[in-house]
């Protein structure tokens, strides 16, 4: 069974300017003390078109983890704008939080992120080259998409066996290449919340 | 009722009938779901959208769940699956998310069930699990051909692994009286095992000869009266049957015939029935009978009564696929059946169809008459049949229900608010923590430069098995009694009270002045090698220096010592130290305990308190007597003869062990810290060369920073103190007593023989002399409590020694002997009373777990607990007694509890007296012993109308008897059988109150 289950992820300081760091307050529960650290990552999907533009914003080790409920704040710097295709700078994209144990990913939390100009003028007439300093990032915190994977929580001894329990598809879950927007199954309600121009992106 | 398209392998109804669990295949894991029962029972509830249908789902099993079973108490749910694991679930009530993170609101878990234990042992899929009656054991069987018996009181302990099957074991059932467990396997055999020794009782193969391993499960069942065991898949004349096996001689003469395919599951109705009496028909009493449901691969279900030759009802084609499991409601009128096709069906019967169920009482009477014992504990089901005779009782019962309701509501509220404020950590609300979490959280860099965050723990897991030690730990270290002695010319260390002081500080009473134990056996410090050697080295160096030099060095020595002393124990956690002490003590092996763990920690502790200067290894000294006088205590018979020579002998002995300086026969100085009061310590410096060559000894006492000093004319051998008095024993058999401010309270007392052990608790001073006599005085009231009482009567054996001495807060001395017995002296009777015996078979046999109000209630602290230690294995021993006739068990339990009550009374330990009295009363109530219960009540109540001639005391060990009775009343009220007694007491208490 999964030794760690994520209880909640709170998105802090949302919405915020594009350049301000991401902050997630993650609470999780551990049913048995873990011998090793958990590794958490924040991945920013630069473009829905290609995995190439994914940026790992940060990765941290979390530990020691005794049995019980724990929480921590995971802070990561904003994505590097130069790595984002200009056409994808404004609009909807995805940020992923993943956690691995012994190199095996067991949970992936995805959030839709909408980058837009709060200034109505800029919104009407966006500059040809995106002005990141003017962009505001809005994470759709109320709709996390959670995917869980079964992994081997025990020590290496029966790791071989664990692979049986895992999804045979090595690229399980949300393949980063895949347009998360598709795989996340964008709920219809979202479109209502999004500004018109973001629809282009979908 | 279709639930899901994935197979459901198991179903079980909760004992309270409000919910049921299913187990089966989930999306890509095993799945356990807890469902609400009421929508199944009532159509209105089904339609009502406010009533949840699903209460909780757990997809923690990695692979298909083959079996789910509620414990008889309903507290736990056990599930076993293809992932080789058994998980034990408990409802978490404290906090919890109301939804699974990331799932939509519809899938909200209404109840939170948490996995409290994972049982790993099987090397193959777990096929069936079963709780024993009374929930003492959990059995599981697997395709690895074994059956494992788990200790349900102490998961994940394994009590036995039953080997013998040569095929996949697919079903288990316990005998209703707990004497046997039966298992059925693919190896074409059904085996019955004894719970007494976990050995095979019988193996039945004949009816299974023709069977092939074609069924997924083989769920067999034992009838509630214990007479019959019915197997799953058996064959008779090449037709599938369910074989009936009689308990008498394991005969296999009958079977249930009719199914067209293999029988997968048999389940007996938990009730025993008797014929419904019809008006006008003959009233001749009919034999009670049982009811059994049989499910098969042919997708049909049959229900049989053991009094009928044909099935009561057969339902064909109930499902699309094989029936996998059956569960009856506790009232015996409803049945849930689940199938491989992913659906569960509910059937209900009327009493006209099945008959009148026997009450639990009648059922237990049948057990008792047939097997000589019963599992009868008053259950709520039984209570509901009794008539409430008086309004008070009714009120009480209602109040109780209300309380339960309130509790439920409170929990509900707690859960609902959980998402916003989940709790308080260290007095800080979670909200506050969250605000500062980023600032507060500890972030480090690993060797390879990666960020590493230490998460903040916001809640401990409620594991269901409480770990109370931790709580004790603080106390232990808080009150650590520290006494460090050394004889420097021999560099031989003696430490006095360490082993017992820990026991003493286990007292959780806040006053912590209940008793100060002292260990007369003085374990040799030399046994604890690594950490003490440095001390020995430094301690042995100086011998004849002047006092001033001594004290100068004293401050530096500990500092020099501490590294070497602290490195060894740096890894030792207080907990472990505590544990090792604990086992040590319970084994009662005086003389050579390894003090390695404790002392360094004590040093550490001392250091923390900036008391380092008290730790003067060089100044500390042997506490007089021990090694010498102890020898005499060992052989008290020879003592009287040698009494006169004793003083001389002591000196001579010392000479032998100390070839260097004869003038230094006696210790230089001595320091004692008083455990009850960490800020109090006593220091003695012998032979301070004072004016004019007169040698004096100085006694210093520091109490909360206030210091006083006094001088004595002779050398001090030993000192002791409490919060009320300080006393010192000197050469020439003198004993001096001082007040806490250093005022001499009495002229020196002349002891009959040299001192062996001196001890103070409160105003009481206890002196144990080398002649094995014991005296206790109350210094404040200036009276003798125990007058030169000889220990000869208790030290009767040849090699008996006193391993531990305690003096309770009430001045009652207790001697723990090396043979595990403990005696206390009863001053009012002038007798030695046996209060504890490690070999006491009663303690091991008594089973009163059902009378414990809660799990941690076992831990009542006080002198009695210290003397007896805490026997954790009693429960297990008791569980073994399952096979002992119930009457015998009752008798031993009663005798044990009565012993405990009496011992607590003699020790005047009011706290423990109350604890054991309530426990005893609860046991009497549960087991229905009216006379004894009545006697207790009568004594507690006393005469209602004042009569001058009454001998009745209104208090017992400082407790008001009538208050005790008030506490007892709710206990009595739990059993409706005692409602008259309840009413009587209640009324009389009311009369008294009105007066």
């Amino acid at each position: 069974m999964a030794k760690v289950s994520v209880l909640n992820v709170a998105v802090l300081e949302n919405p915020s300017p594009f350049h301000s760091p991401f902050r997630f307050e993650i609470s999780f529960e551990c049913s048995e003390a873990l011998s090793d650290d958990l590794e958490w990552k924040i991945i920013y999907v630069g473009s829905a078109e290609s995995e190439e533009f994914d940026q790992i914003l940060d990765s941290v080790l979390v530990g020691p983890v005794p049995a019980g409920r724990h929480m921590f704040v995971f802070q990561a710097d904003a994505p590097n704008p130069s790595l984002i295709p200009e056409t994808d700078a404004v609009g909807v994209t995805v940020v992923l939080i993943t956690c691995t144990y012994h190199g095996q990913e067991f949970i992936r939390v995805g959030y839709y992120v909408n980058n837009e100009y709060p200034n109505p003028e800029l919104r009407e007439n966006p500059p040809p080259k995106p002005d990141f300093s003017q962009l505001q990032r809005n994470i759709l915190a109320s709709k996390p998409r959670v995917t869980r994977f079964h992994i081997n929580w025990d020590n290496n001894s029966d790791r071989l066996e664990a692979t049986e329990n895992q999804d045979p598809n090595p690229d399980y879950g949300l393949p980063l290449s895949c347009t998360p927007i598709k795989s996340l199954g964008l709920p219809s309600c979202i479109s209502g919340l999004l500004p018109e121009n973001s629809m282009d992106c979908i | 009722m279709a639930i899901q398209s994935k197979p459901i392998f198991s179903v079980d109804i909760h004992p309270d009938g409000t919910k049921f669990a299913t187990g089966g295949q989930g999306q890509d894991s095993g799945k356990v779901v807890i469902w609400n029962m009421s929508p199944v029972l009532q159509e209105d509830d089904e339609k009502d959208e406010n009533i949840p249908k699903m209460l909780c789902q757990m997809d923690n099993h990695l692979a298909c769940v083959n079996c789910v079973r509620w414990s008889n108490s309903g507290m736990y749910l056990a599930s076993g699956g293809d992932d080789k694991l058994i998980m034990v679930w408990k409802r978490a009530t404290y906090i919890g998310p109301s939804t699974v993170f990331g799932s939509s609101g519809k899938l909200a878990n209404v109840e939170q069930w948490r996995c409290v234990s994972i049982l790993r042992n099987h090397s193959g899929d777990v096929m069936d699990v079963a709780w024993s009656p009374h929930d003492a054991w959990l059995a599981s069987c697997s395709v690895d051909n074994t059956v494992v018996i788990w200790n349900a009181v102490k998961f994940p302990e394994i009590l036995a692994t039953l080997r013998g099957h040569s095929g996949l074991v697919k079903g288990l059932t316990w005998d209703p009286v707990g004497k046997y467990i039966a298992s059925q396997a693919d190896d074409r055999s059904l085996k019955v095992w004894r719970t007494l020794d976990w050995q095979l009782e019988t193996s039945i193969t004949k009816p299974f000869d023709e069977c092939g391993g074609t069924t997924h499960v083989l769920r067999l069942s034992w009838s509630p009266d214990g007479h019959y065991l019915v197997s799953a898949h058996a064959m008779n004349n090449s037709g599938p049957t369910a074989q009936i096996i009689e308990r008498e001689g394991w005969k296999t003469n009958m079977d249930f015939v009719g199914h067209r395919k293999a029988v997968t599951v048999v389940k007996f109705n938990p009730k025993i029935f008797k014929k419904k009496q019809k008006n006008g028909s003959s009233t001749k009493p009919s034999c009670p009978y049982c009811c059994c449901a049989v499910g098969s691969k042919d997708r049909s279900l049959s229900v049989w009564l053991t009094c009928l030759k044909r099935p009561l009802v057969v339902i064909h084609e109930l499902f699309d696929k094989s029936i996998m499991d059956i569960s009856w409601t506790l009232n015996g009128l409803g049945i849930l059946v689940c199938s491989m096709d992913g659906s569960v069906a509910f059937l209900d019967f009327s009493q006209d169809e099945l008959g009148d169920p026997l009450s639990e009482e009648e059922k237990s009477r049948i057990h008792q008459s047939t097997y000589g014992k019963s599992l009868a504990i008053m259950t709520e089901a039984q209570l509901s049949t009794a008539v409430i005779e008086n309004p008070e009782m009714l009120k009480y019962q209602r109040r109780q229900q209300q309380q339960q309701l309130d509790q439920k509501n409170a929990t509900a509220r707690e859960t609902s608010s959980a998402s916003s404020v989940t709790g308080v950590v260290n007095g800080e609300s979670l909200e506050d923590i969250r605000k500062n979490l980023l600032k507060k959280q500890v972030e480090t860099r690993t060797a390879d430069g990666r960020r590493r965050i230490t998460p903040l723990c916001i809640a401990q897991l409620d594991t269901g098995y409480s770990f109370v030690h931790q709580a004790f730990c603080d106390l232990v270290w808080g009150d650590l009694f520290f006494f460090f002695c050394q004889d420097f010319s021999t560099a031989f260390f003696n430490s006095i009270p360490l082993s017992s002081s820990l026991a003493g500080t286990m007292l959780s009473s806040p006053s912590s002045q209940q008793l100060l134990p002292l260990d007369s056996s003085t374990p040799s410090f030399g046994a604890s090698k690594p950490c003490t050697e440095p001390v020995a080295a430094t301690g042995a160096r100086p011998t004849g220096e002047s006092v001033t030099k001594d004290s100068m060095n004293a401050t530096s020595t500990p500092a020099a010592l501490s590294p070497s002393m602290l490195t060894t124990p740096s890894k030792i956690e207080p907990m472990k130290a505590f544990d090792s002490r604990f086992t040590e003590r319970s084994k009662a092996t005086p003389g050579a305990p390894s003090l390695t763990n404790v002392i360094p920690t004590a040093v550490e502790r001392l250091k923390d308190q900036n008391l380092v200067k008290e730790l003067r290894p060089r100044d500390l000294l042997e506490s007089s007597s021990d090694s010498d006088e102890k020898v005499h205590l060992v052989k008290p018979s020879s003592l009287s003869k040698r009494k006169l020579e004793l003083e001389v002998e002591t000196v001579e002995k010392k000479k032998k062990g100390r070839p260097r300086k004869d003038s230094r026969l006696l210790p230089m100085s001595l320091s004692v810290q008083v455990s009850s009061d960490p800020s109090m310590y006593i220091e003695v410096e012998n032979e301070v060369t004072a004016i004019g060559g007169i040698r004096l000894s100085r006694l210093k006492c520091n109490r909360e920073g206030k210091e006083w000093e006094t001088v004595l004319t002779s050398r001090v051998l030993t000192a002791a103190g409490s919060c009320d008095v300080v006393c010192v024993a000197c050469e020439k058999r003198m004993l001096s007593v001082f007040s806490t401010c250093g005022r001499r309270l009495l002229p020196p007392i002349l002891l009959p023989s040299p001192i062996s052990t001196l001890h103070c608790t409160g105003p009481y001073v206890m002196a144990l002399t080398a002649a094995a006599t014991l005296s206790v005085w109350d210094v404040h009231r200036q009276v003798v409590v125990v007058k030169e009482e000889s220990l000869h009567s208790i030290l009767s054996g040849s090699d008996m020694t006193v391993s531990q001495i305690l003096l309770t807060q009430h001045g009652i001395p207790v001697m723990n002997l090396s043979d595990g017995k403990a005696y206390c002296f009863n001053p009012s009777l002038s007798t030695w009373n046996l209060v504890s015996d490690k070999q006491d078979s009663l303690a091991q046999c008594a089973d009163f777990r059902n009378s414990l109000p809660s799990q941690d209630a076992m831990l009542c602290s006080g002198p009695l607990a210290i003397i007896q230690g805490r026997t954790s294995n009693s429960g297990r021993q008791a569980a073994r007694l399952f096979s002992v006739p119930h009457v015998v068990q009752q008798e031993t339990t009663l005798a044990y509890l009565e012993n405990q009550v009496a011992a607590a009374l003699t020790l005047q330990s009011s706290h423990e007296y109350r604890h054991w009295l309530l426990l005893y009363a609860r046991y009497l109530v549960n087991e229905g012993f009216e006379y004894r219960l009545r006697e207790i009540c009568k004594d507690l109540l006393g005469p209602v109308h004042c009569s001058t001639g009454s001998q009745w005391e209104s208090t017992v060990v400082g407790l008001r008897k009538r208050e005790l009775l008030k506490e007892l009343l709710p206990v009595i009220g739990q059993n409706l059988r005692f409602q008259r007694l309840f009413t009587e007491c209640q009324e009389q208490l009311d009369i008294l109150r009105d007066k």
Side-chain angles (χ1 to χ4, degrees), chain B residues 541-554:
Chain B
R541 216 180 337 118
T543 35
E545 287 104 328
S546 72
V547 180
T548 42
K549 202 174 174 190
D550 266 1
S551 48
M552 256 170 65
N553 286 346

PDB file of all heavy atoms in Angstrom, chain B residues 541-554:
ATOM      1  N   ARG B 541      42.530   8.734  42.019  1.00  0.00           N
ATOM      2  CA  ARG B 541      43.773   9.475  42.177  1.00  0.00           C
ATOM      3  C   ARG B 541      43.942  10.119  43.556  1.00  0.00           C
ATOM      4  O   ARG B 541      44.811   9.742  44.306  1.00  0.00           O
ATOM      5  CB  ARG B 541      43.884  10.529  41.062  1.00  0.00           C
ATOM      6  CG  ARG B 541      45.317  10.681  40.606  1.00  0.00           C
ATOM      7  CD  ARG B 541      45.445  11.730  39.503  1.00  0.00           C
ATOM      8  NE  ARG B 541      44.248  11.983  38.761  1.00  0.00           N
ATOM      9  CZ  ARG B 541      43.645  13.176  38.729  1.00  0.00           C
ATOM     10  NH1 ARG B 541      44.110  14.177  39.434  1.00  0.00           N
ATOM     11  NH2 ARG B 541      42.574  13.350  38.002  1.00  0.00           N
ATOM     12  N   PRO B 542      43.132  11.051  43.885  1.00  0.00           N
ATOM     13  CA  PRO B 542      43.431  11.782  45.106  1.00  0.00           C
ATOM     14  C   PRO B 542      42.935  11.035  46.323  1.00  0.00           C
ATOM     15  O   PRO B 542      41.857  10.475  46.288  1.00  0.00           O
ATOM     16  CB  PRO B 542      42.648  13.070  44.915  1.00  0.00           C
ATOM     17  CG  PRO B 542      41.536  12.716  43.976  1.00  0.00           C
ATOM     18  CD  PRO B 542      41.836  11.418  43.351  1.00  0.00           C
ATOM     19  N   THR B 543      43.706  11.007  47.318  1.00  0.00           N
ATOM     20  CA  THR B 543      43.206  10.370  48.522  1.00  0.00           C
ATOM     21  C   THR B 543      43.318  11.296  49.711  1.00  0.00           C
ATOM     22  O   THR B 543      42.352  11.511  50.417  1.00  0.00           O
ATOM     23  CB  THR B 543      43.959   9.059  48.827  1.00  0.00           C
ATOM     24  OG1 THR B 543      45.321   9.225  48.439  1.00  0.00           O
ATOM     25  CG2 THR B 543      43.346   7.897  48.087  1.00  0.00           C
ATOM     26  N   GLY B 544      44.448  11.820  49.921  1.00  0.00           N
ATOM     27  CA  GLY B 544      44.616  12.535  51.165  1.00  0.00           C
ATOM     28  C   GLY B 544      44.634  14.048  51.067  1.00  0.00           C
ATOM     29  O   GLY B 544      45.073  14.720  51.984  1.00  0.00           O
ATOM     30  N   GLU B 545      44.224  14.599  49.966  1.00  0.00           N
ATOM     31  CA  GLU B 545      44.285  16.043  49.846  1.00  0.00           C
ATOM     32  C   GLU B 545      43.363  16.748  50.826  1.00  0.00           C
ATOM     33  O   GLU B 545      42.439  16.156  51.359  1.00  0.00           O
ATOM     34  CB  GLU B 545      43.891  16.494  48.433  1.00  0.00           C
ATOM     35  CG  GLU B 545      44.930  16.208  47.420  1.00  0.00           C
ATOM     36  CD  GLU B 545      44.526  15.020  46.577  1.00  0.00           C
ATOM     37  OE1 GLU B 545      43.843  14.128  47.128  1.00  0.00           O
ATOM     38  OE2 GLU B 545      44.879  14.994  45.420  1.00  0.00           O
ATOM     39  N   SER B 546      43.602  17.963  50.954  1.00  0.00           N
ATOM     40  CA  SER B 546      42.750  18.741  51.846  1.00  0.00           C
ATOM     41  C   SER B 546      41.416  18.993  51.165  1.00  0.00           C
ATOM     42  O   SER B 546      41.264  18.846  49.954  1.00  0.00           O
ATOM     43  CB  SER B 546      43.400  20.086  52.151  1.00  0.00           C
ATOM     44  OG  SER B 546      43.317  20.888  51.002  1.00  0.00           O
ATOM     45  N   VAL B 547      40.492  19.355  51.986  1.00  0.00           N
ATOM     46  CA  VAL B 547      39.136  19.536  51.484  1.00  0.00           C
ATOM     47  C   VAL B 547      39.074  20.642  50.458  1.00  0.00           C
ATOM     48  O   VAL B 547      38.383  20.549  49.453  1.00  0.00           O
ATOM     49  CB  VAL B 547      38.190  19.839  52.652  1.00  0.00           C
ATOM     50  CG1 VAL B 547      36.784  20.040  52.140  1.00  0.00           C
ATOM     51  CG2 VAL B 547      38.252  18.716  53.655  1.00  0.00           C
ATOM     52  N   THR B 548      39.805  21.671  50.728  1.00  0.00           N
ATOM     53  CA  THR B 548      39.728  22.804  49.811  1.00  0.00           C
ATOM     54  C   THR B 548      40.195  22.401  48.425  1.00  0.00           C
ATOM     55  O   THR B 548      39.595  22.754  47.426  1.00  0.00           O
ATOM     56  CB  THR B 548      40.595  23.976  50.309  1.00  0.00           C
ATOM     57  OG1 THR B 548      41.810  23.420  50.793  1.00  0.00           O
ATOM     58  CG2 THR B 548      39.898  24.754  51.391  1.00  0.00           C
ATOM     59  N   LYS B 549      41.262  21.653  48.427  1.00  0.00           N
ATOM     60  CA  LYS B 549      41.772  21.231  47.144  1.00  0.00           C
ATOM     61  C   LYS B 549      40.747  20.334  46.463  1.00  0.00           C
ATOM     62  O   LYS B 549      40.494  20.437  45.265  1.00  0.00           O
ATOM     63  CB  LYS B 549      43.080  20.474  47.331  1.00  0.00           C
ATOM     64  CG  LYS B 549      43.918  20.462  46.060  1.00  0.00           C
ATOM     65  CD  LYS B 549      45.254  19.845  46.337  1.00  0.00           C
ATOM     66  CE  LYS B 549      46.045  19.690  45.057  1.00  0.00           C
ATOM     67  NZ  LYS B 549      47.236  18.890  45.283  1.00  0.00           N
ATOM     68  N   ASP B 550      40.169  19.508  47.267  1.00  0.00           N
ATOM     69  CA  ASP B 550      39.135  18.618  46.753  1.00  0.00           C
ATOM     70  C   ASP B 550      38.032  19.377  46.053  1.00  0.00           C
ATOM     71  O   ASP B 550      37.637  19.050  44.950  1.00  0.00           O
ATOM     72  CB  ASP B 550      38.524  17.814  47.896  1.00  0.00           C
ATOM     73  CG  ASP B 550      39.226  16.489  48.031  1.00  0.00           C
ATOM     74  OD1 ASP B 550      40.175  16.246  47.244  1.00  0.00           O
ATOM     75  OD2 ASP B 550      38.840  15.717  48.903  1.00  0.00           O
ATOM     76  N   SER B 551      37.573  20.360  46.744  1.00  0.00           N
ATOM     77  CA  SER B 551      36.424  21.054  46.174  1.00  0.00           C
ATOM     78  C   SER B 551      36.825  21.863  44.943  1.00  0.00           C
ATOM     79  O   SER B 551      36.022  22.102  44.062  1.00  0.00           O
ATOM     80  CB  SER B 551      35.769  21.965  47.219  1.00  0.00           C
ATOM     81  OG  SER B 551      36.762  22.718  47.854  1.00  0.00           O
ATOM     82  N   MET B 552      38.095  22.271  44.937  1.00  0.00           N
ATOM     83  CA  MET B 552      38.553  22.991  43.760  1.00  0.00           C
ATOM     84  C   MET B 552      38.563  22.069  42.554  1.00  0.00           C
ATOM     85  O   MET B 552      38.093  22.393  41.482  1.00  0.00           O
ATOM     86  CB  MET B 552      39.957  23.531  43.978  1.00  0.00           C
ATOM     87  CG  MET B 552      39.995  25.017  44.246  1.00  0.00           C
ATOM     88  SD  MET B 552      41.621  25.485  44.768  1.00  0.00           S
ATOM     89  CE  MET B 552      42.561  25.147  43.303  1.00  0.00           C
ATOM     90  N   ASN B 553      39.105  20.912  42.802  1.00  0.00           N
ATOM     91  CA  ASN B 553      39.165  19.947  41.717  1.00  0.00           C
ATOM     92  C   ASN B 553      37.778  19.500  41.276  1.00  0.00           C
ATOM     93  O   ASN B 553      37.567  19.189  40.126  1.00  0.00           O
ATOM     94  CB  ASN B 553      39.927  18.686  42.158  1.00  0.00           C
ATOM     95  CG  ASN B 553      41.406  18.971  42.239  1.00  0.00           C
ATOM     96  OD1 ASN B 553      41.857  19.986  41.742  1.00  0.00           O
ATOM     97  ND2 ASN B 553      42.126  18.074  42.872  1.00  0.00           N
ATOM     98  N   ALA B 554      36.950  19.508  42.236  1.00  0.00           N
ATOM     99  CA  ALA B 554      35.625  18.958  41.980  1.00  0.00           C
ATOM    100  C   ALA B 554      34.945  19.611  40.801  1.00  0.00           C
ATOM    101  O   ALA B 554      34.300  18.950  40.003  1.00  0.00           O
ATOM    102  CB  ALA B 554      34.754  19.112  43.214  1.00  0.00           C
TER     103      ALA B 554
END
